């Protein structure tokens, strides 16, 4: 690795991935500098991060918090900006080497596009970017000779398993899933679960949105779509396997029948660090995996009839066009509705399915089509929730 310190832009520095990325930078300050930090509306945490790391830029999306952030950082040489457009403009800064995109949901799309066009390598933690516009993103990355380095533990596992291999020799990708907090449960049980039940993930510490997605298996569905674009495979080459221990993070089966896997304790800091140091590996003090602690690693098929979101994601991927964009937008509104206690757990799948049937399908979408589809789907899903009979809202 070169001795030069690598400037990192962290989009979403106050979220789960963002704070863990700053842990990695804190432990390796001789290798990395936090050059740009952004937050949606968590001004307090952004301020404390900026005071510690003294980035070149700190951006708060919520403009009403701008004054608070600016005043708190006035004594430091930090440029404080506000609004989504400021992020899109700043990620192109010539001194930034890697843009780590950890913003939640669709919001990460335009900043990622801007960064790719500016020739920045992308450490991708925002899976929705590839779900929504995988064709555009991968074409742009190729055109601008930019690397997309996956931060998701599953895609990082596949990426690591493919080092030294040719993508054309892939027969199948096997993405592992913990099964979430409701593994093995039936529809009767799921009809009555609360947001508190769904937010208790057995193995991983994550943000609220991704934790709900994990409970509904939509997270796995989005990962299947993302894998198609990252590794240039078709839907029928991607298999999901439930592996409750979360030790094997994913596997690659090659056309000669050989399988490679990446294993380790569930800790997001490892895939984050690998994305920042690739193609190198650096020493860590992370806890090590021991086979004697895990004498039984188990595997089972996902229940796609009970957890319909995974099945809907496969359908969207096979249909292509703007359909993955539709399920992503519908899911974001559905998850927000569930977290706000407006709808029950199972209603999330119904909302997504309704949007898939009702929103205008575009076979070969442009970026403008994706933006319009996203907006149209969100409005439709919100209206759908508002019109639900009160009994559908009880859970």
């Amino acid at each position: 690795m070169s001795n030069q310190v690598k400037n990192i832009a962290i989009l979403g520095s106050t979220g789960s991935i963002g704070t863990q990325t700053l842990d990695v930078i804190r432990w390796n300050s001789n290798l990395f500098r936090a050059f740009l930090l952004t937050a949606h509306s968590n001004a307090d945490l952004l301020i404390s991060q900026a005071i510690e790391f003294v980035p070149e830029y700190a951006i708060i999306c919520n403009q009403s918090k701008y004054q608070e952030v600016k005043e708190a950082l006035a004594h430091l040489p930090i440029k404080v900006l506000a609004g989504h457009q400021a992020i899109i403009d700043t990620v192109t800064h010539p001194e930034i080497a890697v843009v780590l995109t950890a913003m939640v949901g669709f919001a990460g799309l335009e900043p990622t596009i801007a960064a790719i066009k500016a020739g920045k390598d992308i450490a991708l933690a925002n899976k929705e970017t590839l779900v929504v516009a995988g064709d555009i993103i991968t074409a742009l990355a190729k055109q601008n000779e930019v690397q997309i380095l996956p931060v998701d533990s599953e895609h990082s596992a596949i990426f690591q398993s493919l080092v030294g291999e040719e993508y054309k020799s892939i027969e199948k990708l096997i993405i592992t899933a913990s099964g979430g907090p409701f593994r093995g449960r039936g529809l009767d049980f799921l009809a009555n679960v609360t947001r508190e039940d769904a937010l208790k993930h057995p193995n991983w510490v994550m943000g609220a949105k991704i934790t709900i997605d994990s409970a509904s298996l939509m997270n796995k569905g989005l990962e299947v779509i993302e894998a198609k674009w990252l590794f240039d495979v078709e839907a029928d080459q991607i298999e999901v396997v439930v592996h409750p221990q979360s030790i094997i993070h994913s596997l690659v089966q090659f056309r000669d029948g050989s399988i490679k896997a990446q294993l380790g304790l569930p800790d997001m800091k490892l895939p984050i660090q690998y994305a920042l140091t690739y193609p190198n590996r650096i020493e860590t003090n992370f806890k090590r995996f021991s086979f004697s602690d895990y004498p039984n690693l188990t595997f089972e098929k996902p229940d796609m009839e009970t957890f319909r979101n995974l099945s809907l994601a496969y359908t969207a991927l096979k249909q292509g066009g703007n359909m993955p964009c539709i399920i992503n937008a519908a899911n974001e509104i559905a998850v927000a509705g569930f977290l706000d206690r407006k709808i029950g757990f199972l209603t999330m799948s119904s909302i997504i399915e309704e949007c898939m049937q009702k929103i205008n399908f575009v076979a070969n979408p442009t970026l403008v089509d994706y933006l319009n589809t996203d907006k149209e789907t969100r409005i439709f899903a919100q209206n759908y929730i508002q019109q639900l009979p009160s009994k559908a809202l009880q859970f």
Side-chain angles (χ1 to χ4, degrees), residues 44-347:
D44 291 345
L45 186 50
L46 180 64
I47 289 164
S48 67
Q49 289 176 342
I51 289 168
E52 179 184 354
F53 291 93
V54 195
E56 200 77 14
Y57 293 89
I59 302 177
I60 185 88
C61 263
N62 184 338
Q63 309 223 8
S64 68
K65 305 275 184 90
Y66 170 68
Q67 215 52 45
E68 181 190 340
V69 177
K70 189 167 175 59
E71 285 169 15
L73 302 177
H75 64 294
L76 293 167
I78 300 170
K79 299 174 189 75
V80 178
L81 304 170
H84 192 64
Q85 189 59 44
I87 299 175
I88 295 169
D89 296 340
T90 313
V91 290
T92 63
H93 194 289
E95 289 181 46
I96 294 171
V98 177
V99 176
L100 185 132
T101 63
M103 297 167 78
V104 175
F106 184 82
L109 178 62
E110 289 182 284
T112 305
I113 288 173
I116 292 172
K117 285 181 174 174
K120 311 298 180 191
D121 284 338
I122 305 295
L124 189 70
N126 171 275
K127 59 174 63 71
E128 291 87 352
T129 293
L130 280 182
V131 169
V132 168
D135 51 345
I136 291 175
I137 297 293
T138 47
L140 272 177
K142 204 171 184 179
Q143 194 182 316
N144 291 279
E145 297 180 352
V146 158
Q147 294 186 97
I148 297 180
L149 306 159
V151 168
D152 246 356
S153 61
E154 295 82 359
H155 299 103
S156 176
I158 292 167
F159 186 72
Q160 292 180 59
S161 299
L162 285 168
V163 170
E165 302 285 356
E166 291 186 344
Y167 283 18
K168 66 182 181 185
S169 64
I170 298 170
E171 184 170 273
K172 183 165 70 171
L173 304 180
I174 303 163
I175 298 177
T176 56
S178 69
F182 306 139
R183 179 175 65 88
R185 299 292 196 170
L187 292 172
D188 289 348
F189 177 87
L190 295 177
N192 298 300
V193 298
T194 65
R195 75 191 289 280
E196 287 74 21
D197 298 328
L199 286 169
K200 290 174 191 159
H201 195 279
N203 301 335
W204 295 94
V205 177
M206 306 176 288
K209 196 261 180 187
I210 194 171
T211 305
I212 301 302
D213 282 348
S214 182
S216 73
L217 289 196
M218 179 51 91
N219 190 41
K220 223 37 59 176
L222 298 178
E223 286 172 9
V224 166
I225 298 171
E226 189 183 3
K228 179 235 181 327
W229 296 110
L230 278 172
F231 305 112
D232 193 21
V233 293
E234 296 306 317
D236 59 7
Q237 290 177 278
I238 309 168
E239 181 184 344
V240 172
V241 171
V242 174
H243 167 50
Q245 296 81 21
S246 296
I247 295 299
I248 298 178
H249 298 305
S250 277
L251 313 90
V252 181
Q253 181 173 301
F254 296 96
R255 59 186 180 186
D256 61 357
S258 177
I259 294 178
K260 272 184 170 182
Q262 187 261 335
L263 288 73
L265 293 171
D267 185 345
M268 281 307 302
K269 289 186 283 293
L270 205 152
I272 290 167
Q273 180 172 292
Y274 188 72
L276 297 183
T277 62
Y278 176 81
N280 303 293
R281 291 186 185 272
I282 60 173
E283 201 175 322
T284 71
N285 60 1
F286 303 159
K287 192 180 174 195
R288 292 335 196 218
F289 168 74
S290 166
F291 277 99
S292 58
D293 293 338
Y294 292 86
N296 297 305
L297 297 179
T298 60
F299 308 91
E300 59 198 63
K301 281 187 172 179
D303 179 355
M304 299 215 293
E305 285 182 26
T306 303
F307 296 90
R308 290 194 299 134
N309 283 358
L310 181 54
S311 176
L312 293 173
Y314 268 105
T315 301
L317 178 56
K318 286 170 184 166
Q319 195 163 343
N322 66 337
M323 195 56 79
C325 179
I326 291 169
I327 67 157
N328 179 71
N331 180 61
E332 284 191 31
I333 297 302
V335 169
F338 176 70
L339 286 170
D340 290 343
R341 305 180 200 276
K342 290 177 184 170
I343 59 169
F345 187 80
L346 294 175
T347 310

